[in-house]
């Protein structure tokens, strides 16, 4: 299985901050990397697919980059609705695997 | 607007079989553009892929669960189902059904709300 790691595991930030989350795959996954946002008690929501493509309806303050093994999710200006847990997921080879998540909370 | 809804018992006894159904509305479960998946999340932990149902009826199961998992489809009801046998407390989790989009690098673009299944006597 491809192992996915994320850093940091949690972070505290203020509204308006620029936030960057890193995801690393244990082997190359090309651009088969997706990012999800999850709020407490809710299902994950797709934000970014194919490493850098913004899902329809997702605000443009979210962006993704990377290829191969190293990827980043950036929130350009953190909004109150963005406090949540963010998880990466590889869809390169089965079983598709998720990162452990990064919790973004209010400073 | 596609909607997915999980249903099934919220409490299952150890050694018994967990059975869940995902009802899909607003789209056909038979579309070749998509696949269907079950994912679970133990309390306070990360997401785990359980298995996949392809439009042609083929299935893929996570090797870690393969001996206990069965995923099936009922096209007449636009539903797909999960059975997990010989459950233990380690199978306690929120179970999600989701749709995978082949056109978007097989990402999961629609999810059910999730259902908590507790394994306890």
């Amino acid at each position: 299985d491809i192992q996915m790691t994320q850093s940091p595991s949690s972070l505290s930030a203020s509204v308006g901050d620029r936030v960057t989350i890193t995801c690393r795959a244990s082997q190359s996954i090309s651009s088969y990397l997706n990012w999800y946002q999850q709020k407490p008690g809710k299902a994950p929501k797709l934000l970014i697919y194919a490493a850098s493509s913004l899902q329809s309806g997702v605000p443009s303050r979210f962006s993704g980059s990377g290829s191969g093994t190293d990827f980043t999710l950036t929130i350009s200006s953190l909004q109150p609705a963005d406090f949540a847990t963010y998880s990466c997921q590889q869809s390169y080879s089965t079983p598709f695997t998720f990162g452990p998540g990064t919790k973004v909370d209010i400073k | 607007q596609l909607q997915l809804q999980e249903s099934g018992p919220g409490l299952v006894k150890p050694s018994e079989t967990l059975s869940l159904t995902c009802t899909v509305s607003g789209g056909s479960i038979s579309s070749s553009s998509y696949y269907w998946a079950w994912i679970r999340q133990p309390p306070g932990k990360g997401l785990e892929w359980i298995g996949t149902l392809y439009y042609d009826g083929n299935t893929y199961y996570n090797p870690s669960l393969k001996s206990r998992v069965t995923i099936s489809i009922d096209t007449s009801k636009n539903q797909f189902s999960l059975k997990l046998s010989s459950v233990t407390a380690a199978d306690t989790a929120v179970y999600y059904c989701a749709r995978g989009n082949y056109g978007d690098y097989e990402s999961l673009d629609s999810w059910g709300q999730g259902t908590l299944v507790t394994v306890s006597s």
Side-chain angles (χ1 to χ4, degrees):
Chain A
D1 298 5
I2 296 176
Q3 306 303 314
M4 306 300 293
T5 57
Q6 289 182 233
S7 61
S9 57
S10 65
L11 66 91
S12 295
S14 301
V15 172
D17 284 352
R18 181 181 182 89
V19 169
T20 299
I21 299 168
T22 297
C23 175
R24 177 166 288 174
S26 60
Q27 66 184 73
S28 177
I29 57 171
S30 184
S31 294
Y32 285 80
L33 190 284
N34 311 304
W35 288 99
Y36 300 87
Q37 176 194 66
Q38 188 175 24
K39 297 182 178 179
K42 301 294 186 181
K45 171 189 173 183
L46 178 65
L47 297 177
I48 302 282
Y49 64 92
S52 61
S53 296
L54 195 67
Q55 173 70 350
S56 176
V58 174
S60 59
R61 62 181 179 272
F62 290 93
S63 64
S65 64
S67 67
T69 61
D70 295 319
F71 303 87
T72 59
L73 173 71
T74 300
I75 308 172
S76 61
S77 178
L78 197 66
Q79 298 302 301
D82 302 337
F83 292 97
T85 296
Y86 295 85
S87 299
C88 60
Q89 177 233 347
Q90 64 84 14
S91 51
Y92 181 78
S93 72
T94 54
F96 295 163
T97 46
F98 294 86
T102 295
K103 184 177 181 181
V104 177
D105 61 22
I106 302 172
K107 181 183 287 184
Chain B
Q1 177 82 5
L2 187 80
Q3 292 190 329
L4 296 87
Q5 178 69 58
E6 304 90 350
S7 59
L11 181 64
V12 181
K13 290 182 168 55
S15 80
E16 296 189 344
T17 296
L18 177 161
S19 296
L20 296 174
T21 296
C22 181
T23 300
V24 179
S25 57
S28 173
I29 200 171
S30 301
S31 171
S32 61
S33 299
Y34 306 104
Y35 66 88
W36 308 90
W38 286 100
I39 293 118
R40 70 180 182 178
Q41 186 171 36
K45 296 188 178 181
L47 296 155
E48 180 183 28
W49 198 281
I50 299 172
T52 309
L53 175 69
Y54 300 102
Y55 73 94
D56 59 1
N58 285 327
T59 54
Y60 166 83
Y61 303 136
N62 190 324
S64 67
L65 299 167
K66 185 175 183 178
S67 63
R68 300 193 291 131
V69 173
T70 303
I71 296 175
S72 59
I73 191 171
D74 186 338
T75 54
S76 67
K77 296 181 179 178
N78 225 34
Q79 295 176 334
F80 64 105
S81 299
L82 168 71
K83 291 188 185 300
L84 181 66
S85 64
S86 304
V87 297
T88 69
D91 295 309
T92 293
V94 175
Y95 286 76
Y96 295 101
C97 58
R99 184 183 79 172
N101 190 331
Y102 287 119
D104 292 343
Y105 278 54
E106 302 189 48
S107 56
L108 296 165
D109 65 1
S110 293
W111 294 66
Q113 65 184 23
T115 187
L116 174 64
V117 178
T118 302
V119 178
S120 175
S121 55

